[in-house]
Structures are given as structure tokens and as C-alpha cells.
Amino acid sequence: MSMENLLKEEELSLLRSTLEGAGKILITCHTNPDGDALGSMTALMSVLRRRGKEVVGVAPDRWPDNLEWLPLMGEVRQYLRHEEEVKDLVKDVDLVLMLDHGRLDRMAELGEAVAGLQVPRIVMDHHPQPEEGALLTLCYPGFCAAAEVVYKVLDQLGWTQDMTADEATGIYCGLMTDTGAFAYNSNRPELYRIIASLLEKGIDKDHIYRKVFWASSADRYRLLGYLLYVKMEILHEYHAAIITFTNQERKHFQLKNGETDGIVNYPLMIGGMRLSIFLREDTEKRGVIRVSLRSVDDVPCHDISAEFFQGGGHRNASGGRLNCSMEEAVEVAKKAIRKYAEILKK
Ligand SMILES: [Mn+2]
């Protein structure tokens, strides 16, 4: 299927010659890797391996259990757990491909290791404001997922014709998870042309959906009920809601890693809601509150996050963190909501 070209001629030829010249390639993604980060990574690992490259995929830290089934996931390394082993494995790479992030600091400690390699980097991403310093920055904030960038790039290289069903599955997983199964950020017709070609490669989209979204434990559903009934504070006047979640509650509900993902979306299902803020205690570091924000339409999560939560992201989906107690974090969230009252009350 022919699609509109993404890369300029000179970008394409630089990309092609760099990939051809590299024998061993490291692919990285951002911390708290999600379905887009890991779906894009595993798909690209496979494509490049089939083209004779030695490829190492490394995630900075843990990923949720509901992504464990992705093809090639068994070969993705986790830097936090295997730092020395990974360092040894990547010391002789010729090239780094940064997926779903455009900044070294989005990889935490892995970013320092990558900077130390002193080899060219190519970014394939859809987050705003990638940093300078990469050989090639293929970053398109209008795209719904890094997986979309990867697919379009591969298509322009002429490498999608022989794409396997497993590779297409990784790409689809990225598109699906970053749009909440095509509930937001998914109005561009081109997206559905890509999906049509992935279906032609043999993906089972219904199966992928169930693997990712219908993989909860019973405990997770009980937790959801608890959080919505007991812990959700609705600020009706501002069309906003705050949910808090402590480590004590995590222990009580015996949650697995990643099982709080997506809970931030639920308040937006209440008619008229425009902003949802989820505050949870970090599982590793005391005194750190992790923040997730979701919004609809023109409510700018990324600005709110940058201003109040030391974070950023997309307009309708952002993250951040605070170094304080939960009580203080709630106060910061309310302050943020009041500051943005005008937009929220629309
Ligand atoms: Mn993404």
C-alpha cells in the first residue's frame, strides 16, 4: 500500500546508510515502558535481525505483566536489574535507536550509559521537544504513537512488504495502547490505513486487545471499585477528579506491577469531566508521589504537569512526580486545578 512519505530524501538516505553501516544496534525506550515503547521495540528488533543485524533491546526498568506476551519480549533486557550484564552487552554497539522518547534523561540511569557509548543516536518518537544531539531525529508529535513513526519509517525504507505477523503485532500494540484502543488521539485517517495493512500481515487485533486490556486480576478490579467508591474526589465545579493510592493499599490488594495503569482514565468516563489526576506513592522511593494526568479536548495536561508536577508529555496524557507526602500532593493537585479553572470550567 502506498502512503504519503514521512522522511525527506536526505533523511531517508542518511537513515538507510546508517542502518546499513551498523553491525550491532541497541534499541532503547523510556522508563515505565508501555505498550507503545515495547511494541515498537520488539517489532523493530525483529525487522533488523531479519536484515542481518545484531540487535539488543533494553528497557530502563520494569514493564507491566500484561505486556509480557509480546513476541520477542523474552529477549528485552531490563537495565535496572541487569546493569553490568547490559553494559557489557552494549559496549560495542555502532548505533542507538531511541524509541518512544527523544531525550536521554527519559531513560534514567540507562541514559547515562547510552551517552557514554559515544555512538550516533537516531530518535523515532512522537513526544514534543526532543533534545539535540542525535544524528537523526524522526519525531512527529502529531502521531499517535512511536509505533506509527516506526511503521512509516519502515514503509519508506521498503521494509514493510515482508513484515511478519509478529512484527505487525508489536506495531499494533503500540497504536492501540497509546490511543486507549482508539478512544483518543486517533482521528487521522492514515492511522487506519496502517491498521489495514497490519491486518493484512495477519495480526489478530481482537486477541491483542484481550491480551492487553482484559488481563486484570480479580484484585485489580476490586481495587478499582474501592478507588472509585472511596478514594475518588470529584471537584464538580472544575470538572476534575483526583484519585490517591498508597503503598499500604497496594499491599492490601496484592497488586502486580502495572495493575494501576489506566485507572487514571476512569474519572473521565463521568459525563462532563475534563481532567483526571491520579496520585500514587512510588513503590521504591519513600516520599515520592507519581502523578498521572488525563484530560479531554483542549485541557493541556503537559502544561499542567510541567508547571506543577515536574513532568510533561502529551496534551491529553502526561505524567510527573512530586517529592512530598500524599496530603501535600493533593494540595498541589488542587492548586493546579484552581489555576486552570478557566479552561476546566468551559
Ligand atoms: Mn508512545
Side-chain angles (χ1 to χ4, degrees):
M1 191 183 308
S2 80
M3 297 187 183
E4 235 173 83
N5 281 342
L6 184 66
L7 310 189
K8 295 183 212 103
E9 257 330 300
E10 56 274 24
E11 288 177 319
L12 182 63
S13 67
L14 178 59
L15 176 68
R16 196 186 292 279
S17 62
T18 309
L19 288 174
E20 271 166 13
K24 187 170 178 181
I25 299 172
L26 165 63
I27 306 183
T28 64
C29 66
H30 56 76
T31 55
N32 295 319
D34 54 17
D36 185 27
L38 297 171
S40 312
M41 177 188 280
T42 49
L44 195 53
M45 281 166 71
S46 171
V47 168
L48 291 170
R49 281 183 183 179
R50 282 196 300 104
R51 279 172 172 76
K53 306 296 171 188
E54 196 180 339
V55 188
V56 185
V58 180
D61 51 13
R62 280 177 74 173
W63 49 80
D65 291 349
N66 67 338
L67 296 172
E68 203 62 65
W69 62 274
L70 272 168
L72 274 193
M73 235 3 251
E75 296 189 35
V76 176
R77 321 267 167 156
Q78 194 198 123
Y79 189 66
L80 204 62
R81 281 277 162 83
H82 309 282
E83 192 177 319
E84 290 313 314
E85 184 197 327
V86 171
K87 268 187 183 152
D88 191 52
L89 201 61
V90 305
K91 63 178 191 295
D92 56 348
V93 299
D94 310 306
L95 177 68
V96 180
L97 300 179
M98 291 165 52
L99 296 192
D100 205 22
H101 69 299
R103 314 182 62 88
L104 290 168
D105 62 12
R106 289 287 288 115
M107 293 191 270
E109 289 85 356
L110 174 60
E112 291 160 33
V114 167
L117 291 174
Q118 308 265 3
V119 295
R121 300 189 294 272
I122 294 178
V123 168
M124 294 188 205
D125 187 27
H126 67 131
H127 293 87
Q129 291 157 352
E131 69 193 351
E132 310 229 324
L135 173 71
L136 197 52
T137 301
L138 308 174
C139 183
Y140 307 90
F143 278 31
C144 74
E148 192 180 358
V149 179
V150 170
Y151 185 88
K152 290 281 292 183
V153 167
L154 292 176
D155 195 54
Q156 221 177 320
L157 285 164
W159 292 359
T160 51
Q161 274 126 20
D162 60 351
M163 183 175 262
T164 67
D166 277 356
E167 290 157 7
T169 293
I171 299 290
Y172 185 80
C173 177
L175 303 177
M176 182 188 76
T177 52
D178 262 21
T179 57
F182 312 104
Y184 46 81
N185 205 7
S186 50
N187 276 329
R188 290 168 38 261
E190 175 81 342
L191 178 56
Y192 300 91
R193 287 187 201 106
I194 294 174
I195 293 170
S197 42
L198 298 175
L199 288 163
E200 282 161 359
K201 312 288 181 208
I203 64 164
D204 182 344
K205 67 179 265 305
D206 301 355
H207 180 76
I208 298 169
Y209 182 95
R210 287 198 304 275
K211 280 289 202 188
V212 172
F213 293 117
W214 291 358
S216 284
S217 63
D219 286 326
R220 196 248 187 198
Y221 258 78
R222 294 189 199 286
L223 168 75
L224 181 62
Y226 163 78
L227 290 178
L228 295 178
Y229 190 57
V230 179
K231 302 295 300 286
M232 177 171 64
E233 183 176 0
I234 301 180
L235 293 86
H236 287 283
E237 184 191 350
Y238 297 96
H239 305 133
I242 302 169
I243 297 177
T244 58
F245 181 51
T246 65
N247 282 335
Q248 205 182 344
E249 290 162 334
R250 177 185 296 275
K251 213 168 141 194
H252 176 80
F253 284 93
Q254 302 187 358
L255 278 208
K256 283 186 283 181
N257 195 34
E259 287 199 305
T260 58
D261 289 2
I263 286 175
V264 64
N265 293 314
Y266 283 88
L268 292 181
M269 296 174 197
I270 301 167
M273 277 291 140
R274 287 168 59 75
L275 176 68
S276 168
I277 302 179
F278 184 60
L279 304 169
R280 65 176 170 89
E281 288 178 352
D282 192 280
T283 51
E284 323 262 312
K285 293 186 194 116
R286 279 179 80 90
V288 172
I289 306 292
R290 297 223 170 235
V291 186
S292 301
L293 299 101
R294 294 291 184 278
S295 69
V296 296
D297 298 332
D298 57 347
V299 177
C301 279
H302 53 338
D303 292 342
I304 299 173
S305 184
E307 191 174 341
F308 289 93
F309 304 112
Q310 309 170 41
H314 305 285
R315 189 181 63 185
N316 295 135
S318 297
R321 57 185 283 162
L322 290 172
N323 296 74
C324 64
S325 69
M326 185 59 89
E327 291 71 28
E328 288 164 323
V330 170
E331 282 316 304
V332 174
K334 288 184 177 171
K335 209 169 136 190
I337 289 168
R338 285 194 293 269
K339 170 89 190 282
Y340 282 82
E342 207 178 310
I343 298 176
L344 289 170
K345 284 179 174 182
K346 265 209 268 183

